């Protein structure tokens, strides 16, 4: 028989109370993990930003297009490696609920600037060869059971009409932090049709992505790009990809901040639940602690016993919660439209935070009952009537 | 025979809200080795307080208590805890066994503070439980035992470390006559056969009659 055994026996002396506390902690850890995942997923675009990429958009707003002709001028700036373009296409695939990013891009350069979207040489060549070909992410291929050679028909909304695409490539994200839910097709396919049907909208792109040779020169090159188009009919705003992503998320940043705070409020609630259980447990055992002190058990033994009991409950609750978090977060990711959270998984930092929180809660919630137990004189402990 | 316990001019009072309540007034008492002494007196006379002071679970305001040549009144809390674990066996009115531990584990509890191996601890526990006649109840939890059996487990716990003195606070106070007689017989045996010095607080004249000596306390004075 060891103190450890007594600690475990104490923890499960009131099975129902301890079980309910463990379940309460587990639910709170699941809620914490889910909220933290939403927060980290929202920020994942920012985190995945490359330091050597700049985004040039219209100075007024992202929704205004820029002349395609800017591309060559930007390419001339010293320090620029590759310039590529992208247009937000949107459209409706199957129905309005099937949301994922669909963009018209420059097939020659786009995948050079975004090496995190891994596409085989053969598929890239096939994509370049055929005007109405498209490349989709592996997540999209899996979700809609699409294969190479399949036709994707999209009803245009920003660019009206029926648009048929042939799947010629399925890219794989470099790692799980990269979005596997995008669809790319050739800008020329879009532009050629616009030249016929809406010539006023032709030869315009949404934004430029500039790969620079030296990331430390991002401010200098951004300034040079914007200076180049100063006082033109379409002035530009160039910033790092990170700043661009942050600006893109600013509309929902208040909600994200609230979710972030909420996730930590949940930790506070767990703390109160466990602290309450521990205070009740320690109060009930006032006489037993007096007996143990009488037998010669010292303060360090009582610290081990009380804190250990608290840790047993918090670790079991935290562990259970963390284990269940994976299927719950996965289920949540499956249940929501793919495009809303392209990447949805529990990040290591969330696991670390949840484990740290569970351990900290175990320690903190035992402090009050510990102080009480240690400060109660033996004779007062024997007089105690719970 | 030399006195193993020397209580000299001790005073003790307790603070109750705004009041200071004197409990013991200039008490002096010598207890010889191998003695069996009963402390008697009405409720509030200070007998349990005196027992607690001798056992080192409380400290006097004034005076000295020497047990086996150690002035325990001068020891720190941690020194006292260590001293108690080696020198004193405790028997309480309400047994005070740990409910989640078996009889074996309850008796083993004080031995966890020693350097004994698992095997040695087991030998000690079995010997103590055999002595109190509960060798067949080792795996029983307190709730599976009668009051008398619980008190015998408590006595086994008190003697398992082979202490110099055994202090018993109303050891028969919660028992029926038959169980009380068994416990008293056991205490007598520990005193006569194993030469344990026993100090017992009791209200019960029958229990007190088993002791070699009876001392009475009244309003904090030894009479």
């Amino acid at each position: 028989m060891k103190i450890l055994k007594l600690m475990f026996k104490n923890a499960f002396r009131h099975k129902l109370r301890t079980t309910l506390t463990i379940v309460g902690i587990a639910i709170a850890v699941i809620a914490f993990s889910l909220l933290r995942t939403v927060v980290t997923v929202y920020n994942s675009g920012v985190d995945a930003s490359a330091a050597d990429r700049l985004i040039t958009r219209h100075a007024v707003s992202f929704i205004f297009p820029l002349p395609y002709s800017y591309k060559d001028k930007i390419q001339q700036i010293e320090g620029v490696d590759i310039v590529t373009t992208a247009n937000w296409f949107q459209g409706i695939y199957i129905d309005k609920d099937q949301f994922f990013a669909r963009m018209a891009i420059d097939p020659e350069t786009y995948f050079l600037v975004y090496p995190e979207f891994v596409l085989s040489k053969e598929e890239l060549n096939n994509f370049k060869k055929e005007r109405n070909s498209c490349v989709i992410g592996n997540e999209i291929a899996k979700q809609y059971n699409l294969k190479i050679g399949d036709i994707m028909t999209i009803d245009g909304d920003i660019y009206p009409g029926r648009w048929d695409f042939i799947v010629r490539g399925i890219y794989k994200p470099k790692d799980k932090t990269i979005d596997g839910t995008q669809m790319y097709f050739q800008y020329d396919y879009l532009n050629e049709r616009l030249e016929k049907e809406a010539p006023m909208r032709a030869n315009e792109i949404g934004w430029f992505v500039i790969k620079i040779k030296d990331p430390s020169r991002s401010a200098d090159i951004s300034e040079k790009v914007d200076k180049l188009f100063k006082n033109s009919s379409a002035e530009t705003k160039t910033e790092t990809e990170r700043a661009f992503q942050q600006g893109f998320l600013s509309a929902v940043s208040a909600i994200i901040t609230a979710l972030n705070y909420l996730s930590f409020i949940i930790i506070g609630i767990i703390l109160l639940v466990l602290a309450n259980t521990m205070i009740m447990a320690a109060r009930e055992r006032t006489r037993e602690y007096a007996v143990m002190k009488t037998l010669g058990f010292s303060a360090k033994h009582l610290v081990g016993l009380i804190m250990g009991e608290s840790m047993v409950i918090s670790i079991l609750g935290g562990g259970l919660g963390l284990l269940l978090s994976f299927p719950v977060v996965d289920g949540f990711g499956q249940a929501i439209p793919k495009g809303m959270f392209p990447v949805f998984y529990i990040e290591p930092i969330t696991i670390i935070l949840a484990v740290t929180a569970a351990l900290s809660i175990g320690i903190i919630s035992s402090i009050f009952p510990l102080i009480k137990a240690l400060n109660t004189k033996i004779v007062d402990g024997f007089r105690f009537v719970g | 025979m030399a006195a193993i316990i020397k209580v000299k001019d001790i005073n003790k009072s307790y603070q109750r809200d705004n009041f200071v309540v004197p409990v013991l007034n200039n008490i002096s008492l010598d207890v010889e080795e191998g003695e069996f002494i009963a402390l008697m007196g009405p409720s509030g006379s200070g007998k349990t307080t005196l027992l607690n002071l001798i056992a080192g679970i409380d400290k006097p305001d004034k005076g000295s208590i020497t047990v086996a040549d150690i002035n325990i009144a001068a020891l720190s809390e941690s020194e006292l805890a260590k001293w108690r674990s080696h020198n004193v066996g405790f028997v309480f009115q309400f047994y005070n066994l740990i409910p989640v531990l078996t009889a074996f584990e309850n008796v083993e509890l004080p031995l966890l503070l020693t350097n004994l191996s698992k095997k040695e601890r087991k030998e000690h526990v079995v010997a103590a439980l055999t002595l109190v006649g509960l060798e067949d109840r080792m795996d029983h939890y307190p709730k599976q035992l009668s009051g008398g059996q619980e008190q015998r487990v408590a006595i086994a716990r008190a003697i398992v470390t082979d202490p110099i003195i055994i202090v018993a606070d109303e050891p028969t106070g919660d028992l029926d006559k038959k169980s009380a007689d068994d416990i008293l017989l056991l205490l007598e045996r520990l005193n006569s056969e194993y030469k344990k010095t026993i100090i017992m607080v009791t209200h019960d004249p029958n229990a007190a009659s088993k002791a070699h000596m009876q001392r009475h306390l009244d309003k904090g004075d030894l009479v």
Side-chain angles (χ1 to χ4, degrees):
Chain A
M1 212 277 297
K2 293 278 186 293
I3 296 293
L4 197 68
K5 191 175 172 188
L6 180 57
M7 196 174 82
F8 272 93
K9 285 195 168 192
N10 275 343
F12 287 94
R13 196 180 286 203
H14 291 277
K15 288 186 180 65
L16 181 62
R17 186 168 74 193
T18 303
T19 305
L20 288 175
T21 306
I22 288 172
V23 170
I25 294 170
I27 291 171
V29 167
I30 293 169
F32 173 80
S33 302
L34 192 58
L35 287 177
R36 290 292 314 166
T37 300
V38 170
V39 171
T40 50
V41 160
Y42 256 111
N43 292 323
S44 63
V46 176
D47 295 335
S49 304
D52 64 349
R53 286 198 293 251
L54 303 178
I55 306 289
T56 298
R57 62 171 173 87
H58 197 288
V60 177
S61 167
F62 174 72
I63 61 167
F64 293 107
L66 290 169
Y68 185 84
S69 58
Y70 283 10
K71 185 174 182 247
D72 289 340
K73 292 177 184 168
I74 295 169
Q75 187 69 68
Q76 299 306 313
I77 295 171
E78 190 264 323
V80 169
D81 187 10
I82 306 167
V83 182
T84 192
T85 66
N87 272 51
W88 185 256
F89 179 76
Q90 200 168 296
I92 298 163
Y93 179 61
I94 302 174
D95 61 55
K96 277 186 177 174
D97 293 335
Q98 312 302 314
F99 177 82
F100 54 89
R102 296 146 204 158
M103 287 184 279
I105 55 142
D106 174 12
E108 296 297 331
T109 53
Y110 195 83
F111 290 97
L112 295 173
V113 176
Y114 286 98
E116 58 264 47
F117 301 128
V118 181
L119 193 61
S120 72
K121 258 187 184 171
E122 187 193 352
E123 284 175 305
L124 181 60
N125 286 334
N126 290 340
F127 174 52
K128 287 175 184 173
K129 277 181 209 163
E130 220 165 342
R131 198 57 108 217
N132 64 337
S133 63
C134 72
V135 169
I136 55 174
N138 60 344
E139 289 286 325
I140 292 296
K142 189 177 159 196
Q143 187 182 352
Y144 298 102
N145 195 26
L146 290 167
K147 302 179 294 295
I148 303 286
D150 284 354
I151 304 286
M152 281 181 84
T153 300
I154 293 175
D155 283 326
D157 40 20
I158 298 173
Y159 301 97
R162 176 191 160 109
W163 300 78
D164 290 321
F165 301 98
I166 304 169
V167 178
R168 288 297 179 211
I170 296 172
Y171 78 81
K172 290 182 188 68
K174 185 187 72 183
D175 58 53
K176 62 180 178 178
T177 66
I178 305 298
D179 184 3
T181 68
Q182 308 214 30
M183 180 254 192
Y184 302 112
F185 63 93
Q186 290 196 19
Y187 169 74
D188 286 347
Y189 181 49
L190 171 70
N191 198 47
E192 284 167 9
R193 191 156 152 183
L194 286 175
E195 280 176 338
K196 288 179 201 159
E197 296 173 7
M200 293 288 286
R201 299 179 70 186
N203 301 311
E204 289 179 337
I205 58 95
W207 63 94
F208 294 100
V209 185
I210 306 165
K211 188 171 187 293
I212 57 175
K213 291 170 185 167
D214 179 3
S216 68
R217 290 192 59 208
S218 60
D220 166 40
I221 295 172
S222 297
E223 199 182 321
K224 282 182 177 165
V225 172
D226 293 341
K227 201 173 170 186
L228 202 61
F229 307 110
K230 189 96 178 154
N231 298 321
S232 69
S233 58
E235 292 190 358
T236 61
K237 182 178 178 184
T238 304
E239 56 197 345
T240 60
E241 190 176 42
R242 172 173 281 269
F244 175 78
Q245 293 280 9
Q246 280 169 337
F248 205 66
L249 295 175
S250 63
V252 289
S253 66
I255 297 168
I256 296 303
T257 306
L259 288 179
N260 203 11
Y261 284 128
L262 192 60
S263 68
F264 287 101
I265 288 170
I266 286 170
I267 296 296
I269 294 168
I270 316 175
L271 180 66
L272 293 178
V273 169
L274 184 56
N276 186 48
T277 300
M278 285 311 300
I279 288 167
M280 280 197 286
R283 185 181 158 80
E284 288 162 3
R285 284 172 217 153
T286 303
R287 284 178 74 92
E288 288 172 33
Y289 296 143
V291 171
M292 294 190 77
K293 285 187 198 173
T294 303
L295 295 178
F297 284 85
S298 62
K300 74 172 182 191
H301 291 111
L302 289 186
V303 169
L305 207 58
I306 297 170
M307 195 177 279
E309 181 180 342
S310 180
M311 296 288 283
V312 165
I313 296 172
S314 69
I315 288 171
L316 285 176
L320 180 68
L322 207 53
L323 271 179
L324 292 176
S325 290
F326 288 93
V328 168
V329 167
D330 193 43
F332 187 81
Q334 300 290 332
I336 53 170
K338 266 285 168 201
M340 191 177 284
F341 295 115
V343 179
F344 203 76
Y345 71 99
I346 299 176
E347 285 217 331
I349 185 68
T350 301
I351 298 169
I352 293 168
L353 279 173
V355 170
T356 308
L359 294 176
S360 309
I361 283 163
I363 294 168
I364 295 168
S365 59
S366 67
I367 290 174
F368 183 76
L370 257 178
I371 292 171
K372 183 98 175 129
L374 295 179
N375 288 339
T376 303
K377 289 182 177 174
I378 295 174
V379 287
D380 293 333
F382 281 127
R383 281 199 201 102
F384 179 81
V385 180
Chain B
M1 202 177 278
I4 192 167
I5 300 167
K6 292 175 188 168
V7 176
K8 198 164 186 314
D9 300 328
I10 58 163
N11 281 274
K12 181 70 185 174
S13 58
Y14 287 116
Q15 184 88 29
R16 291 284 174 259
D17 298 322
N18 293 326
F19 302 100
V20 176
V21 182
V23 183
L24 296 175
N25 310 312
N26 286 318
I27 298 281
S28 292
L29 173 73
D30 282 1
V31 180
E32 289 181 359
E33 191 172 359
E35 187 64 89
F36 185 174
I37 179 171
L39 293 175
M40 299 188 74
S43 291
S45 59
K47 53 190 188 301
T48 295
T49 301
L50 179 58
L51 190 79
N52 289 342
L53 292 172
I54 292 169
I57 59 175
D58 205 356
K59 285 187 166 188
D61 299 333
K62 216 179 99 185
S64 68
I65 301 168
T66 307
V67 180
D69 297 325
I70 294 172
N71 180 10
I72 61 168
L75 297 179
S76 68
E77 284 299 329
S78 58
E79 287 169 335
L80 259 182
K82 199 170 178 184
W83 176 83
R84 282 194 304 269
S85 70
H86 288 105
N87 298 290
V88 189
F90 294 86
V91 181
F92 307 97
Q93 181 179 357
F94 298 110
Y95 334 126
N96 286 332
L97 300 177
I98 308 291
V100 289
L101 301 181
T102 62
F104 182 96
E105 290 167 341
N106 265 290
V107 177
E108 191 189 17
L109 204 56
L111 296 178
L112 296 178
L113 301 170
T114 66
N115 293 324
L116 295 177
S117 67
K118 192 178 175 182
K119 186 169 169 275
E120 288 168 325
R121 289 204 305 268
K122 188 177 177 182
E123 285 168 6
H124 281 68
V125 173
V126 171
L129 281 168
T130 305
L131 183 67
V132 299
L134 286 176
E135 66 272 25
D136 56 341
R137 298 297 182 101
M138 285 187 207
D139 296 327
H140 288 224
Y141 286 91
K143 67 180 176 187
Q144 297 166 327
L145 300 170
S146 68
Q149 287 169 331
E150 280 195 72
Q151 193 62 297
R152 280 195 274 161
V153 173
I155 291 172
R157 182 178 65 185
I159 60 174
V160 76
T161 54
D162 194 22
I164 301 169
I165 56 173
I166 293 173
V167 295
D169 190 359
E170 301 277 9
T172 58
D174 198 45
L175 300 175
D176 58 71
K177 188 171 183 313
K178 169 78 175 66
S179 300
D181 285 344
D182 289 345
I183 294 300
L184 290 170
L185 205 62
L186 192 54
L187 290 174
E188 276 187 294
R189 208 176 138 210
L190 289 172
N191 175 250
S192 58
E193 285 182 32
Y194 296 90
K195 309 297 175 202
K196 295 293 173 195
T197 305
I198 299 175
I199 306 163
M200 176 175 69
V201 161
T202 183
H203 277 105
D204 179 9
N206 176 50
S209 67
K210 308 293 179 191
H212 302 158
M213 187 199 297
Q214 296 177 17
R215 298 302 301 266
H216 290 259
L217 278 129
D218 188 24
K219 293 177 184 169
D221 296 313
L222 206 52
V223 291

